[in-house]
Amino acid sequence: MSTVATHKKTLFGPATLVTAAFIGPGTVITASLAGANYGYALVWALLFSVFATMVLQEMAARLGIVTGRGLGENLRELVQQPLLRWPLLLLVVVAIVVGNAAYQGGNISGAALGAEALFADNSVIYTWGIATGVNLWALLLGALAALILWFGQYKLIERSLIILVLLMSLAFIGTMVLTQPNLLALLQGALWPTMPDGAVLTVVALVGTTVVPYSLFLHAAAAAQKWPRHGIDTNEALHAARQDIAIAIPLGGLISIAIVSTAASAFFGSKLQLDNVAQLAQALTPLFGSAATWCLALGLMAAGLSSAITAPLAAAYALAGILGKPLNLKQPVFRLTWLFIIICGVVLSSLGIKPVSIIWFAQVANGILLPIICLCLLLAMNHAVLGQYKNNRKQNILGLLVLLVSLLLSWRSLALAFALL
């Protein structure tokens, strides 16, 4: 991957890749279910998720800028004790590479749902799909993601994802405006935390769909490329990275809240049962008009495609860094990793498994794995190699707070799964 030579100020930067990663079909599905089942009561969980994401992503960006390496490379260098090093690296590989293969099935399935809702009258695609028994939208969208990564340069990928994030923003926020949410209930759900009966796993999933572990690897490597150590002042780069985070991550949180609001307006308090996002899109038409349906479907397709690009890219960053390989889009290990992830996603999506089930499982698993990745990052951020840019006391307290909450949520999730509570 070529180093970005220009350092001019831009409104969006590597943090936009993080937003593109966590605003995927998982967010749309999970936030829709949260709004349909609990109304606005869990908006506070999204606000915490945005706060936690900003805390962790600032550390990841700082690590990349100061060391000039990604998180995978830093873990490889910082942990030298063999009895700790190899189990830790193996755990990261399993969590990121294998985990992202599961995510990719949800990403492509979600994008296919959006495409089907947008192009429901496309008889050619529909007829071929029925005849072959294969989800042709999954094949087409998977191939598009592979082409972008195969031929694209980093700057082109970054700009493409920025466009997709802006498109998602317009689509989902536009849908929220059209559905006229209850602003008082929305404000109450944001400022007054409650835990309705049966909502624990939904809270875990909301955190998991926002605080995405693989985004830490993605952001650290992207920040190292955007602001290289040589040729730019470190303090200036850190200031730019923090501004980038302060814009992109809250924008992602606003999109998530918009999705919760849309589902709450359409389903909460009614006798309708939400099974998938395509059903939500269809339900919006008689209530709020076809414009709301088109906005939601367009947003879902853009969300799936953006995450179908970032998930394989992040897995490739993580594995290449851990193996000590160059972070180059055309390097064999790098290319084979993201290609493997995309193929797994297309296969999972084409098996006929309910997309909601794929995405829900991936998001809950993400919430369980989050403490492991969070602990790895805190370990790296307190190493002497960072010098004056190590975590200070305040940053460590915030990081430990996020770690503690993620541990509690993970414990509740496992306890419920095994009927211990």
Side-chain angles (χ1 to χ4, degrees):
M1 181 182 300
S2 60
T3 299
V4 178
T6 178
H7 306 123
K8 63 182 180 180
K9 293 183 178 179
T10 55
L11 184 61
F12 294 102
T16 310
L17 276 66
V18 177
T19 300
F22 78 74
I23 300 296
T27 294
V28 181
I29 291 288
T30 307
S32 295
L33 291 173
N37 295 329
Y38 305 106
Y40 304 95
L42 301 182
V43 173
W44 63 269
L46 285 174
L47 293 182
F48 167 77
S49 299
V50 169
F51 165 76
T53 301
M54 293 179 71
V55 169
L56 297 180
Q57 295 299 337
E58 189 278 335
M59 294 183 192
R62 179 155 40 98
L63 182 70
I65 291 170
V66 174
T67 65
R69 301 190 300 262
L71 179 55
E73 295 167 287
N74 276 287
L75 289 178
R76 179 184 174 88
E77 294 295 324
L78 297 177
V79 184
Q80 295 295 328
Q81 171 57 250
L83 293 178
L84 294 176
R85 184 185 192 189
W86 295 113
L88 174 62
L89 297 183
L90 179 61
L91 191 59
V92 171
V93 169
V94 171
I96 300 300
V97 179
V98 177
N100 275 15
Y103 276 119
Q104 192 69 356
N107 293 334
I108 295 178
S109 295
L113 279 176
E116 288 169 2
L118 277 175
F119 306 106
D121 297 329
N122 191 321
S123 58
V124 176
I125 296 292
Y126 181 78
T127 302
W128 285 2
I130 294 296
T132 61
V134 174
N135 188 334
L136 291 182
W137 280 118
L139 291 175
L140 290 173
L141 293 166
L144 178 58
L147 284 173
I148 291 172
L149 289 174
W150 188 276
F151 294 108
Q153 299 296 319
Y154 174 77
K155 288 180 67 176
L156 177 62
I157 293 173
E158 182 184 67
R159 290 172 182 174
S160 299
L161 291 172
I162 288 172
I163 292 172
L164 286 173
V165 167
L166 293 176
L167 180 62
M168 287 187 288
S169 302
L170 292 174
F172 287 124
I173 295 173
T175 307
M176 180 181 70
V177 172
L178 290 170
T179 56
Q180 301 176 353
N182 185 330
L183 296 180
L184 182 60
L186 177 61
L187 187 63
Q188 183 177 356
L191 301 180
W192 190 263
T194 59
M195 186 70 76
D197 292 340
V200 175
L201 281 180
T202 302
V203 171
V204 173
L206 285 173
V207 174
T209 199
T210 307
V211 191
V212 184
Y214 74 73
S215 292
L216 299 172
F217 291 85
L218 180 64
H219 199 184
Q225 296 293 318
K226 184 78 172 180
W227 297 289
R229 288 186 299 168
H230 304 292
I232 186 170
D233 180 71
T234 300
N235 290 323
E236 178 185 340
L238 290 174
H239 178 71
R242 286 164 181 155
Q243 284 188 326
D244 179 34
I245 292 168
I247 295 172
I249 306 303
L251 177 60
L254 181 59
I255 294 172
S256 298
I257 291 172
I259 298 168
V260 170
S261 299
T262 298
S265 298
F267 280 86
F268 185 62
S270 71
K271 296 182 180 179
L272 298 174
Q273 179 68 35
L274 177 62
D275 294 319
N276 57 59
V277 177
Q279 181 186 348
L280 174 58
Q282 294 166 4
L284 292 178
T285 301
L287 295 173
F288 308 107
S290 60
T293 301
W294 277 79
C295 283
L296 183 67
L298 180 63
L300 178 60
M301 188 175 70
L305 184 57
S306 69
S307 292
I309 295 170
T310 54
L313 186 62
Y317 273 134
L319 186 60
I322 286 173
L323 295 178
K325 302 294 184 181
L327 302 184
N328 188 304
L329 285 172
K330 297 182 180 179
Q331 194 270 337
V333 170
F334 200 97
R335 179 172 278 178
L336 286 173
T337 302
W338 61 251
L339 188 58
F340 167 77
I341 298 294
I342 290 178
I343 291 173
C344 286
V346 171
V347 170
L348 280 173
S349 182
S350 299
L351 287 178
I353 302 173
K354 284 183 66 176
V356 171
S357 300
I358 299 174
I359 298 170
W360 181 260
F361 173 80
Q363 295 308 322
V364 173
N366 184 32
I368 294 171
L369 291 170
L370 175 61
I372 299 169
I373 308 302
C374 183
L375 183 61
C376 291
L377 180 62
L378 284 172
L379 174 67
M381 295 310 299
N382 283 277
H383 198 276
V385 72
L386 291 177
Q388 62 177 313
Y389 299 106
K390 285 197 306 182
N391 270 5
N392 57 34
R393 180 178 297 178
K394 178 182 177 181
Q395 290 164 333
N396 274 329
I397 290 174
L398 291 176
L400 288 171
L401 174 63
V402 173
L403 175 61
L404 176 62
V405 173
S406 67
L407 282 169
L408 291 172
L409 290 174
S410 296
W411 176 79
R412 289 297 300 271
S413 176
L414 287 171
L416 284 176
F418 290 98
L420 296 179
L421 288 183

